[in-house]
Amino acid sequence: MITIRHRKGVFKLIKRFLILLTISSVLVGCSSEKKEKGPGLGNRNQPKEEEASLSSVEQLDKILQNSIKESNVLLSQFNKSLDGFYTGNTSNSQFATVVSGIVNDSHELVSSVEKEDVDPTVFELQQKLVAHLNQQHGLFLNAVDMANQEKVNKDTLRNTYLEIKQEQAAIMNGWNNS
């Protein structure tokens, strides 16, 4: 039995596929290269293209879901450590140690998403995700640098954290509504 939640997910995936298919069709139609077709045969590769586009959407969806999940883990660790710094429960050196560990995990996350070989139809969306993850990584690097210099600007870190969370929500809402 298919639940309503599952059905909505299937409809969203189909909707994304159709949007990508439409974009792909427009791009192919605007191409300067003319493809030769036999009389009345149409495009023999159309089913393969549709299958490739659906696969591309599914691949990017998996990358996006996993990346945002890992991103949330890192941001949660950072936020908890920053809260401890505000309350005085975390020292400069403790904050630097925690965030240094986050930096290593963040670097791995950025690298893994950058390495993904995605279809050109979803490349722009992947690059938007990479830019977001790099911005997040920059937050962690700045926090470690501030802590090592014992000049932590908590308000700057908190505001940057909030901006990153808002951008993350915008990325997910844009993806879920496409």
Side-chain angles (χ1 to χ4, degrees):
M1 178 174 193
I2 298 177
T3 64
I4 292 174
R5 187 175 179 170
H6 179 70
R7 198 175 311 151
K8 285 182 181 180
V10 170
F11 287 130
K12 284 183 181 180
L13 190 59
I14 291 170
K15 184 178 173 185
R16 289 180 191 148
F17 168 72
L18 292 174
I19 289 170
L20 283 174
L21 183 61
T22 303
I23 291 169
S24 298
S25 297
V26 169
L27 292 175
V28 170
C30 294
S31 174
S32 61
E33 292 182 18
K34 301 211 180 206
K35 307 237 177 189
E36 293 278 324
K37 294 186 213 175
L41 295 178
N43 185 352
R44 295 180 194 196
N45 294 327
Q46 187 173 359
K48 288 181 184 178
E49 289 173 2
E50 289 175 8
E51 188 176 300
S53 294
L54 181 57
S55 174
S56 300
V57 171
E58 290 172 342
Q59 178 192 15
L60 185 63
D61 186 59
K62 184 176 178 181
I63 292 167
L64 185 65
Q65 298 299 330
N66 290 338
S67 298
I68 295 299
K69 182 178 178 182
E70 181 64 25
S71 171
N72 280 330
V73 169
L74 298 175
L75 287 169
S76 178
Q77 292 171 354
F78 175 81
N79 192 38
K80 184 177 180 180
S81 186
L82 187 59
D83 286 350
F85 202 71
Y86 267 98
T87 61
N89 294 332
T90 303
S91 68
N92 252 341
S93 62
Q94 290 171 323
F95 183 70
T97 300
V98 169
V99 179
S100 291
I102 294 171
V103 165
N104 293 331
D105 293 340
S106 176
H107 174 78
E108 290 298 318
L109 177 60
V110 171
S111 295
S112 70
V113 175
E114 285 178 332
K115 284 192 285 189
E116 288 290 338
D117 185 25
V118 298
D119 189 86
T121 58
V122 295
F123 180 76
E124 187 177 329
L125 296 171
Q126 180 207 23
Q127 290 307 300
K128 187 174 184 175
L129 177 61
V130 168
H132 168 72
L133 294 174
N134 272 308
Q135 181 184 11
Q136 175 180 291
H137 187 68
L139 166 66
F140 302 147
L141 291 173
N142 288 337
V144 168
D145 189 42
M146 287 179 186
N148 286 336
Q149 294 179 21
E150 297 187 11
K151 295 180 182 178
V152 175
N153 186 331
K154 297 178 286 207
D155 291 334
T156 298
L157 294 176
R158 174 69 64 200
N159 289 334
T160 305
Y161 165 83
L162 292 173
E163 289 170 9
I164 289 170
K165 288 299 287 182
Q166 287 174 345
E167 182 180 330
Q168 183 186 70
I171 289 170
M172 289 306 295
N173 285 336
W175 179 249
N176 288 332
N177 293 326
S178 65

